[in-house]
Amino acid sequence: MKNYKVAVVGATGLVGSTFLKLLWEYKFPIETLTLFASERSAGKKVAFGDKEYTVQKLEEGCFDGIEIALFSAGGSVSQKWAPEAEKSGAVVIDNSSAWRMVQECALIVPEINLAHFDSARKIVANPNCSTIQSVLPLKPLEDKFGLKRVVYTTYQAVSGSGMKGKNDLARTLAGEEPEFYPYNIAKTCIPQIDVFTDNGYTKEELKMVNETRKILGKPDLKVSATCVRVPVMNAHAVSIMVELEKPFTLEEVRKAFEGQDGIKVLDDPQNSIYPVSTVANDNDLVYVGRIRRDLSCDNGLLFYCVSDNIRKGAAANAIQIAQALIKAEKI
Ligand SMILES: NC(=O)c1ccc[n+]([C@@H]2O[C@H](COP(=O)([O-])OP(=O)(O)OC[C@H]3O[C@@H](n4cnc5c(N)ncnc54)[C@H](OP(=O)(O)O)[C@@H]3O)[C@@H](O)[C@H]2O)c1
């Protein structure tokens, strides 16, 4: 089996360090590993398995010879450097939002739409964290019953804001004043993730709307979202209301979820069995439960899903894309 020359951009960050942890855990076939971060971290040593690697800064020619480049250093870094890596011949898998809605770039959840990969354009976008865990259960519903309308309400952990978010929860839990969020995240939920746009939605909410349509290949699907930051360290939750085209039984829905790779159904509410953040922490599954009829419309369904936003919502999904492309002989 071939080994690959791999680069991680943003290797010192929350997602970047999870890339390293998972590349090791998954025994990813690595020939060489090159780590990049900002100039601040250049020269810093980072452990990978039993070796130490020196973090480098990005500069002209730094991607020469790289075959797979995993980016998680923010949108502006991806905007500038992902095309450089692509020009050098690497397949880029990018965690920022920079390339997600670019038509020629595939936006992939490997269990759903690996076929969207087009080898003419080698920058692949990794979707928004809340979107990944939401489209996984939506896909079998679309296949079996047809999706007519989707309404999301998210409960997003502070790790979704990177180290700054985790530090602000720790700081405010210790009784100090917030420095990152506009309110004390230890004491309240905050119904704002990212900045507001002119139509009253935040950018995060519009990412969920647009990315859901692109991944599922349904540009006209009716989708709305409300995204809320909650005082949980890690693992996002999403409550999903779906109006389906066809009638269904709850048993059929449960079976459809159970048949989808990447999903585990936890749904025995009488015994307090449903998805919670602590179950999802540090693994790659999307947990689905609280499956019930929506009482407000015909063919309406409500359910709740939880997943580790740094793993399946970011690093794990990106590495799974690389693994799936290798298996399909596209890299
Ligand atoms: N957290 C999540 O749940 C999540 C989920 C999906 C996607 N993402 C996306 O992943 C990216 C990283 O998020 P994160 O949570 O890991 O953030 P983070 O913990 O703040 O880490 C940011 C990383 O980017 C590096 N960086 C910053 N400026 C750079 C520059 N000019 N050149 C090179 N490297 C630079 C940082 O290096 P230094 O250490 O040297 O500053 C660090 O390694 C963002 O685009 C984010 O939107 C995050």
Side-chain angles (χ1 to χ4, degrees):
M1 183 168 151
K2 178 177 160 46
N3 289 332
Y4 293 83
K5 296 186 174 100
V6 177
V8 174
V9 182
T12 51
L14 199 51
V15 176
S17 55
T18 309
F19 270 140
L20 297 180
K21 177 179 151 173
L22 297 186
L23 286 168
W24 183 260
E25 190 179 309
Y26 296 170
K27 299 185 172 56
F28 196 87
I30 294 176
E31 183 183 328
T32 62
L33 181 64
T34 312
L35 306 185
F36 296 105
S38 77
E39 284 199 68
R40 290 179 293 275
S41 303
K44 195 175 159 183
K45 304 272 186 216
V46 169
F48 178 71
D50 52 6
K51 280 197 192 151
E52 275 197 336
Y53 290 77
T54 304
V55 175
Q56 301 176 29
K57 67 176 178 157
L58 294 163
E59 57 195 349
E60 209 172 304
C62 67
F63 294 106
D64 288 354
I66 299 292
E67 295 170 292
I68 300 172
L70 303 168
F71 272 67
S72 67
S76 54
V77 173
S78 295
Q79 200 90 51
K80 178 167 178 205
W81 290 98
E84 296 297 319
E86 185 186 31
K87 256 189 251 157
S88 301
V91 168
V92 175
I93 302 171
D94 179 39
N95 257 283
S96 80
S97 56
W99 299 92
R100 290 181 191 154
M101 296 315 294
V102 173
Q103 207 186 337
E104 313 86 67
C105 294
L107 181 65
I108 292 180
V109 177
E111 296 91 336
I112 297 182
N113 65 332
L114 191 72
H116 287 189
F117 178 74
D118 171 6
S119 38
R121 192 74 214 245
K122 288 188 165 176
I123 301 177
V124 180
N126 200 55
N128 164 274
C129 39
S130 300
T131 310
I132 293 174
Q133 72 180 73
S134 300
V135 292
L136 258 178
L138 287 180
K139 173 69 171 147
L141 297 179
E142 161 68 2
D143 290 347
K144 202 157 170 38
F145 310 104
L147 297 175
K148 195 169 170 189
R149 185 166 75 98
V150 178
V151 182
Y152 295 128
T153 308
T154 71
Y155 307 81
Q156 295 182 227
V158 294
S159 60
S161 310
M163 289 312 297
K164 292 186 185 106
K166 290 182 78 164
N167 291 342
D168 219 42
L169 178 56
R171 179 183 298 122
T172 48
L173 280 173
E176 293 169 34
E177 287 303 306
E179 287 179 13
F180 177 66
Y181 293 115
Y183 290 92
N184 186 322
I185 188 65
K187 292 187 175 168
T188 185
C189 302
I190 303 175
Q192 174 185 0
I193 299 182
D194 211 331
V195 295
F196 282 97
T197 67
D198 289 345
N199 64 4
Y201 284 81
T202 61
K203 276 193 176 171
E204 180 84 352
E205 290 161 351
L206 296 181
K207 282 177 201 166
M208 289 194 78
V209 171
N210 295 327
E211 294 180 23
T212 297
R213 291 174 174 156
K214 181 167 176 176
I215 296 162
L216 295 175
K218 286 180 76 85
D220 300 322
L221 182 65
K222 291 184 164 69
V223 191
S224 271
T226 302
C227 293
V228 182
R229 186 73 66 198
V230 297
V232 168
M233 203 49 97
N234 191 47
H236 291 348
V238 188
S239 171
I240 307 182
M241 181 273 167
V242 203
E243 199 178 337
L244 296 167
E245 297 280 2
K246 293 186 194 155
F248 60 86
T249 67
L250 291 177
E251 201 39 49
E252 286 172 324
V253 166
R254 198 165 281 118
K255 278 211 179 99
F257 287 148
E258 283 167 351
Q260 173 63 54
D261 277 352
I263 286 184
K264 184 170 170 66
V265 174
L266 283 183
D267 195 34
D268 180 7
Q270 297 303 336
N271 291 307
S272 303
I273 295 190
Y274 33 68
V276 291
S277 305
T278 42
V279 169
N281 253 332
D282 209 23
N283 66 78
D284 298 337
L285 291 172
V286 174
Y287 294 87
V288 174
R290 296 295 321 278
I291 302 165
R292 63 210 192 276
R293 285 189 180 278
D294 182 293
L295 303 177
S296 68
C297 65
D298 292 338
N299 299 335
L301 177 73
L302 272 167
F303 62 95
Y304 186 78
C305 70
V306 178
S307 187
D308 186 323
N309 51 294
I310 302 294
R311 287 187 64 130
K312 185 59 183 167
N317 194 70
I319 299 175
Q320 288 165 351
I321 293 171
Q323 288 175 315
L325 291 175
I326 289 172
K327 198 169 166 203
E329 298 182 353
K330 303 273 188 191
I331 303 184

